[in-house]
Amino acid sequence: MEGIDRIEIDEQWAHSAVVCAGDFAFISYCMKNEGQTIENQIHGAIDVLESRLSAAGLSLESVVKIDCLFKDIMDIQYLGAIIKQRFKGNYPSRKAWETKFLREGISFQLDAIAYKKS
């Protein structure tokens, strides 16, 4: 399709980590630091998000929405302080929920939508 860019395509899992369509970029499966503390996993997911945003010519300031998936929803208590530190006042809207993950050691995953001026 014209006007849609797909970045970091994974043929095995049949998905694109970043899809830029019109004025928006959709970023998925941001996770890192499996088996480490929840704080390290949240920071790691944001690191991956930043890397994927950069590949699309964007930054954390562009993020308008994040979906936070937790293995244990009570770990949400760590999220606010990390969001404040990493997003520096440019807070996206967000939603969080508890889910099961395919692999052991994953406690957090982040998906995002970013605004991309055309």
Side-chain angles (χ1 to χ4, degrees):
M1 274 190 181
E2 190 176 358
I4 298 177
D5 294 320
R6 290 171 173 81
I7 302 169
E8 200 176 318
I9 297 169
D10 185 318
E11 291 292 340
Q12 179 182 348
W13 290 99
H15 78 87
S16 300
V18 181
V19 176
C20 297
D23 290 337
F24 294 94
F26 304 87
I27 302 95
S28 63
Y29 290 110
C30 297
M31 57 187 172
K32 189 176 174 183
N33 301 330
E34 293 177 33
Q36 296 183 22
T37 66
I38 187 64
E39 296 98 320
N40 286 349
Q41 288 194 41
I42 294 170
H43 277 293
I46 296 172
D47 291 344
V48 171
L49 174 61
E50 277 188 305
S51 175
R52 290 182 175 160
L53 287 165
S54 179
L58 300 169
S59 68
L60 287 179
E61 290 180 4
S62 307
V63 177
V64 295
K65 172 98 167 63
I66 56 176
D67 293 327
C68 305
L69 291 78
F70 288 91
K71 182 177 180 180
D72 180 354
I73 196 64
M74 296 308 292
D75 286 337
I76 197 170
Q77 64 184 314
Y78 301 101
L79 186 62
I82 295 170
I83 293 290
K84 287 179 184 178
Q85 178 186 2
R86 299 296 296 271
F87 284 83
K88 300 181 185 351
N90 297 305
Y91 308 132
S93 66
R94 70 177 191 223
K95 180 185 275 187
W97 63 87
E98 185 175 278
T99 190
K100 291 182 180 181
F101 291 104
L102 290 175
R103 295 189 309 269
E104 283 298 314
I106 301 172
S107 297
F108 184 79
Q109 178 186 311
L110 181 74
D111 295 337
I113 300 171
Y115 178 67
K116 182 174 183 162
K117 293 181 184 178
S118 42

